[in-house]
Amino acid sequence: MTATRVLVLNSGSSSVKYQLLDMRDSGRLAMGLVERIGEGTSRLKHTALTTGETRETIGPIADHAAALKAVAEELTKDGLGLDSPELAAIGHRVVHGGQQFTAPTVIDETVLAEIERLIPVAPLHNPANLIGIRTAQALRPDLPQVAVFDTAFHTTMPESAARYAIDVKTADEYRIRRYGFHGTSHAYVSRATAELLGRAPEDVNVIVLHLGNGASASAVRGGRCVDTSMGLTPLEGLVMGTRSGDVDPAVIFHLMRVGGMSTDEIDTLLNKKSGLIGLCGDNDMREIRRRVDEGDEQARLAFDIYIHRLKKYIGAYYAVLGRVDAIAFTAGVGENAAPVREAAVAGLEELGLAVDADLNAARGDGPRLVSPEGARVAVAVVPTDEELEIATQTYALVGASHDLI
Ligand SMILES: Nc1ncnc2c1ncn2[C@@H]1O[C@H](COP(=O)(O)OP(=O)(O)O)[C@@H](O)[C@H]1O
Ligand SMILES: CC(=O)OP(=O)(O)O
Ligand SMILES: [Mg+2]
């Protein structure tokens, strides 16, 4: 039997998203999400697309290993268990791959050691990714496990964009540079945007705005990333759900010297208690918009700061690219929050940027244009699909060799 299925695991700091796909037609067989891992009331939502059935389980799931075992049990109930001979590989999202990993990679002990070495620069993400890999290896030791790195797409950035202006010797010793993240999404969305325009990716310059709980922008010239807003870690750049994005680094010295705060306290402050939640107590854009519409001043200011930063990056990447064919909004906020898209391009008509109010307000599933007809720069909503991209890259790497077995 030819093995054509790929299981994709996207392990976040407190969640696991997963999809099982059949790569003959890239169709989804099952998908789901485990949320609030390690909290009292974890939630597993599983959908078998083969039957259309959805099951939801609420109850404690102590850690990522327990979460993956619960996922494996759900798949087994639908006859899609991990013991299936049709499974060709398991693909894992790995957030930090440093400079070394520029492409999807079959995981061995050396790769695992490198992912582990990078934990200090992705403390929220790489540990969860490692547990996902080790648990999957224990369940199917015979299968190829593939790492698809968030950082890989950004390794094409020129040194002028990737380097910080700090002492070269120190930077090299500690490998301090801009790595960038969400690369799988930036790659998928920039390609899908070119397709939406009916043009080859090589001919198109796109600014991709990945606005989820974590958020990042990238400048993509002819299919290659030339700049991105996240840096050494996923803390830099845009205002996010709980992360500050850009701050003057001296804020940290000030909090240490004057505020008496420890390194860990400042790390937690900037990664978990800042961004939208730090500014107004909510990190969900739906709730923030509801409060703005009710006249809540604090939510209004949080929204305005979020938009101001976004607009600065649009302007910066416009300048980096010189010519922009499209701006693509993606991820939870980018795909769903029409007021964010409208506000982000408001006043940029001189740059050829605008949204059509009706198109922008309309809902839709697939990629779509929201700019007025004939606009110089296309403004698009392009749903991301990191799991499909990971499955495609995983199968491209191992599918062909597996067929020979
Ligand atoms: N209908 C909506 N309107 C506005 N914002 C939304 C909507 N749906 C989701 N979001 C936003 O998307 C965020 C989650 O985005 P997502 O890309 O799933 O993030 P992550 O992958 O980082 O968990 C939510 O926190 C919320 O702010
Ligand atoms: C790298 C990163 O920020 O990922 P996420 O948005 O999933 O937290
Ligand atoms: Mg995400």
Side-chain angles (χ1 to χ4, degrees), residues 38 41 52 129 180 199 232 247 258 268 316 333 350 366:
T41 55
N129 303 154
R199 295 166 65 178
L232 173 73
V247 291
V258 180
T268 303
V333 176
E350 286 287 319

Side-chain angles (χ1 to χ4, degrees), residues 134-207:
R134 292 215 167 97
T135 309
Q137 281 178 328
L139 291 168
R140 277 299 298 267
D142 58 314
L143 272 191
Q145 313 264 340
V146 174
V148 177
F149 297 94
D150 259 40
T151 41
F153 182 62
H154 302 301
T155 53
T156 55
M157 276 192 289
E159 288 294 283
S160 53
R163 288 233 174 218
Y164 294 106
I166 62 177
D167 172 65
V168 171
K169 212 165 139 281
T170 310
D172 286 348
E173 183 176 351
Y174 296 102
R175 301 195 220 199
I176 294 170
R177 60 189 283 118
R178 181 184 301 287
Y179 293 96
F181 300 90
H182 296 134
T184 309
S185 177
H186 287 285
Y188 176 87
V189 169
S190 56
R191 228 182 318 112
T193 305
E195 208 170 293
L196 177 69
L197 301 183
R199 295 166 65 178
E202 300 75 44
D203 299 334
V204 176
N205 292 352
V206 191
I207 297 173

